[in-house]
Amino acid sequence: GVVNESAEPLITGTDIRSFIDSGADVILLPALGTVPGISAEFVQKMVAYCHSQGVLTMTAIGTSQEGADIQTIRQIALMCKMAGTDLHHIGDSGYNGIALPENILNYGIVIRGVRHTYSRIARSINR
């Protein structure tokens, strides 16, 4: 770890305003539990700010936690949902460039529940 690579200064309200002014309609934020020093309160504050500005948020696992154990994935998913994010991203640095399939499934179950997750899995992309 590098001291200046952690904590809240990673992204600020000023940064978000700059992105919005440049045309962004979705703001990417670190998923809770993936970047040192990024607290639930901080992400909730940034999500609330983004929503007040009329843009969506996406929390992202982009730091290899997509290969973590199922309990960790479920905890990250629930914390992101509680923070109020609109979109969820699970990274792709696992086996052959994908997250572990069981982690994708469990993340989805936390966000949507079992029946809705299985229904989405079973649907054709052509519908």
Side-chain angles (χ1 to χ4, degrees):
V2 177
V3 174
N4 65 357
E5 287 185 0
S6 66
E8 296 177 7
L10 183 65
I11 186 167
T12 66
T14 303
D15 297 326
I16 291 170
R17 180 78 255 157
S18 176
F19 295 144
I20 294 168
D21 290 344
S22 296
D25 53 7
V26 178
I27 302 298
L28 179 81
L29 299 166
L32 290 153
T34 64
V35 174
I38 299 297
S39 67
E41 295 78 18
F42 176 75
V43 174
Q44 288 171 332
K45 179 180 167 185
M46 294 295 103
V47 167
Y49 176 70
C50 290
H51 289 165
S52 76
Q53 300 302 302
V55 298
L56 301 174
T57 61
M58 179 188 324
T59 49
I61 301 174
T63 49
S64 299
Q65 284 85 6
E66 62 273 9
D69 61 276
I70 290 171
Q71 293 78 15
T72 300
I73 291 297
R74 292 177 63 85
Q75 186 176 12
I76 291 170
L78 187 58
M79 289 188 300
C80 289
K81 185 173 184 175
M82 290 177 2
T85 195
D86 304 292
L87 304 163
H88 301 262
H89 168 76
I90 186 167
D92 58 4
S93 71
Y95 302 130
N96 296 321
I98 66 166
L100 297 171
E102 59 269 26
N103 284 353
I104 297 169
L105 174 64
N106 278 278
Y107 197 108
I109 289 171
V110 169
I111 301 305
R112 299 179 290 234
V114 172
R115 288 182 292 187
H116 183 71
T117 298
Y118 287 175
S119 173
R120 297 297 295 177
I121 290 170
R123 287 186 188 164
S124 167
I125 62 170
N126 297 321
R127 292 186 187 172

